[in-house]
Amino acid sequence: MKCLVTGGAGYVGSHVVIGLLDAGHEVAVIDNLSTGYRAAVPSGVRFFPLDLLDAEAINKILASEKWDVVLHFAALSLVNESMRKPFYYLRQNYITALNLIEACAQNGVRRFVFSSTAALFGGKERFSLIPDNARVEASSPYGESKFLIERALVWADQIYGMRSASLRYFNAAGADPLGRLGEEHTPETHLIPLAIDTVLGLRGKLKIFGNDYPTRDGTCIRDYIHVTDLADAYIRVIELLDRRSVTYNLGNGLGFTNMEVVQAIEHVSGRKLPWEWAPRRTGDPSMLVADSALIRRETGWSPHYSSIDIIVETALQWRKRNPHGYRKQAGIGQEKWSPIFGQEVEL
Ligand SMILES: NC(=O)c1ccc[n+]([C@@H]2O[C@H](COP(=O)([O-])OP(=O)(O)OC[C@H]3O[C@@H](n4cnc5c(N)ncnc54)[C@H](O)[C@@H]3O)[C@@H](O)[C@H]2O)c1
């Protein structure tokens, strides 16, 4: 298939791009490199250095050739930042998606896969898995922007017959098991890459927020899904789209506490990880884990890299080889391809 991937220079998008290439598909990427890296896009993949706010340019790409499927990852995704800049987030996520969805619908695209989020379920206290039919109650402009996009896709299906999949997930984690790509966010806010940088001596002590949650060791429980398992799910749902639109929760199904993540990193690296307690953060619920019953049943998908040790191991291996990540790579408009691999860090 001929696949157009927005945000393909970002963490999840780039892993799905190599998943698509490995499966024999043809791929092109649109990305403005605001948070992504040119070096994360494999050589040989066509790259359009564009912002999705540019409706005219997007329409040109959709009109000039026939795309079998569009996979949409491009977005801003920091929940806290969205609370400080609500309209910026709504514009950057919703308006950009509308530009893309409209161009797809009007140019006859039949399949669209959307990176939604489990953040649209809000942050209320729950002590069981979040089911596929849980009520949507976004507690941030980020979550709201994703729900608005899901609704736009419902209308694109009803009026234009464009089938879509909205995949709602929590924390993508880990790195390509073959070491070709990894996780790189600036600023980094995710626990696993922060903890790995701590154990590698690339940053100071790790803070663990709260030790009095009603969980097995007092720290928060979160859902970490390996990014290669995510890529597998994206590829499986494309096939379903010939028949109908779908919305799925996507999770590991196994929640891990913050302390279990720390212990896994110590175990895998064979090193002590310096950490300290910090007060609870406002709005952090005890447990956020998605139930993925529907996608498992309807596509046969299940996570292969579900153990926290494997998730951490793949992330650690990539970071050891790439202590400076993609930061030094080319920016927008510069088509130079640089090798992904860097220096290995001594453990
Ligand atoms: N990482 C996670 O744990 C997670 C969890 C749930 C959902 N998601 C969703 O998955 C998607 C990818 O997340 P990620 O962690 O890979 O983020 P990322 O920041 O690494 O990737 C986003 C990519 O989109 C590009 N981009 C952003 N705005 C753009 C625009 N206006 N025009 C063109 N390109 C633009 C960025 O340059 C970047 O390459 C996002 O939509 C995010 O909301 C991520």
Side-chain angles (χ1 to χ4, degrees):
M1 277 187 299
K2 201 162 147 183
C3 314
L4 182 62
V5 180
T6 76
Y11 170 48
V12 183
S14 60
H15 281 82
V16 175
V17 166
I18 52 169
L20 289 164
L21 293 173
D22 289 347
H25 300 299
E26 183 187 333
V27 184
V29 164
I30 296 179
D31 201 297
N32 68 358
L33 300 182
S34 55
T35 58
Y37 300 90
R38 181 66 181 88
V41 182
S43 50
V45 167
R46 258 193 305 160
F47 182 72
F48 299 104
L50 285 176
D51 195 303
L52 291 173
L53 280 175
D54 187 345
E56 208 179 307
I58 300 307
N59 195 53
K60 240 187 226 163
I61 293 173
L62 270 304
S64 60
E65 43 196 306
K66 178 110 189 83
W67 301 96
D68 296 307
V69 57
V70 172
L71 300 100
H72 180 45
F73 296 90
L76 300 178
S77 50
L78 298 175
V79 173
N80 289 340
E81 187 181 50
S82 82
M83 296 300 279
R84 292 196 310 274
K85 304 176 180 173
F87 304 114
Y88 177 61
Y89 259 68
L90 289 168
R91 180 164 50 248
Q92 289 297 329
N93 288 353
Y94 184 48
I95 304 300
T96 51
L98 274 189
N99 287 343
L100 180 69
I101 293 167
E102 186 175 9
C104 289
Q106 289 185 341
N107 289 293
V109 171
R110 309 303 299 168
R111 305 180 194 90
F112 191 100
V113 189
F114 171 50
S115 305
S116 189
T117 174
L120 51 72
F121 296 125
K124 75 173 187 196
E125 278 294 350
R126 286 186 180 89
F127 293 97
S128 53
L129 303 187
I130 302 175
D132 285 282
N133 62 359
R135 226 178 93 170
V136 171
E137 36 197 337
S139 54
S140 68
Y142 166 64
E144 190 71 45
S145 70
K146 294 285 182 173
F147 188 56
L148 290 170
I149 298 166
E150 287 192 6
R151 295 299 309 161
L153 288 170
V154 169
W155 293 110
D157 182 341
Q158 284 199 21
I159 297 168
Y160 291 89
M162 183 173 87
R163 308 283 182 243
S164 62
S166 293
L167 302 180
R168 299 167 167 179
Y169 48 98
F170 280 118
N171 306 290
D176 173 41
L178 300 179
R180 295 168 292 182
L181 297 167
E183 178 164 13
E184 177 73 24
H185 290 111
T186 311
E188 189 53 80
T189 57
H190 297 94
L191 176 63
I192 293 178
L194 287 175
I196 284 178
D197 277 5
T198 302
V199 90
L200 292 176
L202 299 170
R203 66 186 295 279
K205 264 188 192 166
L206 181 74
K207 286 190 180 357
I208 305 281
F209 297 101
N211 58 6
D212 57 353
Y213 287 94
T215 59
R216 44 191 179 263
D217 60 20
T219 63
C220 292
I221 298 179
R222 293 291 179 267
D223 189 333
Y224 298 95
I225 178 165
H226 195 283
V227 71
T228 303
D229 284 329
L230 272 179
D232 178 30
Y234 272 86
I235 292 167
R236 282 170 188 261
V237 298
I238 294 172
E239 284 169 22
L240 278 190
L241 295 182
D242 287 339
R243 283 168 273 148
R244 62 196 164 93
S245 292
V246 290
T247 300
Y248 292 135
N249 280 1
L250 197 48
N252 191 334
L254 302 172
F256 300 105
T257 70
N258 289 345
M259 279 319 295
E260 286 165 352
V261 170
V262 167
Q263 285 156 6
I265 292 176
E266 290 188 333
H267 173 232
V268 167
S269 67
R271 271 196 157 198
K272 197 94 201 101
L273 192 163
W275 62 270
E276 62 189 359
W277 294 119
R280 280 183 180 211
R281 291 182 302 194
T282 332
D284 255 356
S286 309
M287 171 172 161
L288 288 174
V289 183
D291 183 13
S292 313
L294 205 55
I295 190 169
R296 285 173 184 255
R297 199 166 57 236
E298 295 190 350
T299 70
W301 175 85
S302 67
H304 288 285
Y305 302 97
S306 55
S307 100
I308 190 64
D309 276 11
I310 291 182
I311 291 172
V312 160
E313 166 106 52
T314 55
L316 181 71
Q317 288 311 327
W318 186 80
R319 195 60 172 169
K320 276 168 65 185
R321 287 199 212 96
N322 301 274
H324 305 296
Y326 301 122
R327 263 175 225 131
K328 294 202 163 63
Q329 312 296 351
I332 194 160
Q334 296 165 271
E335 290 302 293
K336 216 172 78 207
W337 161 250
S338 329
I340 290 172
F341 300 111
Q343 287 284 308
E344 181 139 348
V345 170
E346 287 282 307
L347 261 187

